[in-house]
Amino acid sequence: MKKENIFKILMVLVLIALIVVVSVYIIKLDTEEIENHSFYQYFGGRKIEYEGALNITQKEGITQLQLQNANIQLDSTPVYYEDIENQVLFPEDMALVIPNQNGQMYKINRFTNVYQKDDIIYAEYRDNQNELTNSFIYDGNDLYFFIQNTVLTVDGTNYEIPPLSYVIVSYQNSVEIYNKQQDTYEIIPSTSTNVTASTDQYSINLSLDSMKYGEKEQLLLKRVDTLKSINT
């Protein structure tokens, strides 16, 4: 009987240890610790700056930034490094859309860094790095992030959008433009149902969340979580 009890106790201890290891692993996957940097975001045209060590955690589908004693709820709005030139962090999963590959879409994992080096854009997640070309990044809702020079057209007016900039389009409401090169944020009232962004390779209808490349046209998938990761 004593041997049986000892065996049961050992099994319980092994199970507890396994649960702890798995829990720590899951927490690590859902947490990104970034130390000793300056960051900023724009919300509704207002620039918010962060300083020091950041702890970004996702719990129950909500992403939070922990800074000193403050907890800030994040959405898909990119977090820019102020002290590292041309680098940005995505706090949420995003879709990478590649029009010239038959509109293929992949998932960019949350906590991915996107940066520009020698005129080339890279996406880096933990130890995995991918070069991004002839594509754009989409949050599955209203935010479009551009990795190449793009022309945005709103109510007949063109806006030059440089790499690492983004646009938020609310249907028949407003268009928000963040220009990374100039570090400016502009909000444009618009009732247009045909806000477009275009390059030499493709065009996007940002009001209807559709794109056109060559003779083909397709709607963009909104369920980013169902996409295959670019890192797999």
Side-chain angles (χ1 to χ4, degrees), residues 31-42:
T31 302
E32 184 75 11
E33 295 180 2
I34 309 169
E35 297 183 353
N36 301 324
H37 287 288
S38 300
F39 305 86
Y40 70 90
Q41 287 180 297
Y42 275 90

Side-chain angles (χ1 to χ4, degrees), residues 83-108:
D83 57 349
I84 301 179
E85 187 177 7
N86 296 327
Q87 182 162 316
V88 56
L89 172 73
F90 287 102
E92 292 283 356
D93 291 340
M94 305 287 281
L96 175 69
V97 187
I98 311 176
N100 61 3
Q101 290 186 10
N102 293 318
Q104 186 66 53
M105 297 178 65
Y106 296 93
K107 181 173 69 175
I108 293 179

Side-chain angles (χ1 to χ4, degrees), residues 152-214:
L152 179 73
T153 303
V154 184
D155 296 331
T157 301
N158 291 337
Y159 301 84
E160 298 290 335
I161 308 297
L164 304 183
S165 301
Y166 67 86
V167 174
I168 299 175
V169 177
S170 301
Y171 184 75
Q172 290 189 331
N173 186 2
S174 66
V175 178
E176 302 180 33
I177 306 171
Y178 173 61
N179 185 309
K180 174 63 175 68
Q181 189 177 63
Q182 300 176 4
D183 190 22
T184 57
Y185 201 98
E186 187 174 3
I187 301 177
I188 305 168
S190 175
T191 58
S192 175
T193 59
N194 194 35
V195 177
T196 62
S198 59
T199 69
D200 294 337
Q201 294 85 25
Y202 59 86
S203 64
I204 318 165
N205 188 318
L206 284 69
S207 302
L208 302 179
D209 301 321
S210 64
M211 66 177 170
K212 185 176 182 180
Y213 49 98

Side-chain angles (χ1 to χ4, degrees), residues 4 10 127 167 197 204:
E4 291 181 0
L10 288 175
D127 295 327
V167 174
I204 318 165

Side-chain angles (χ1 to χ4, degrees), residues 56-72:
I56 303 177
T57 305
Q58 186 175 76
K59 294 181 179 179
E60 298 179 357
I62 298 175
T63 302
Q64 287 190 334
L65 184 153
Q66 298 173 349
L67 180 63
Q68 295 178 350
N69 296 324
N71 287 336
I72 302 169

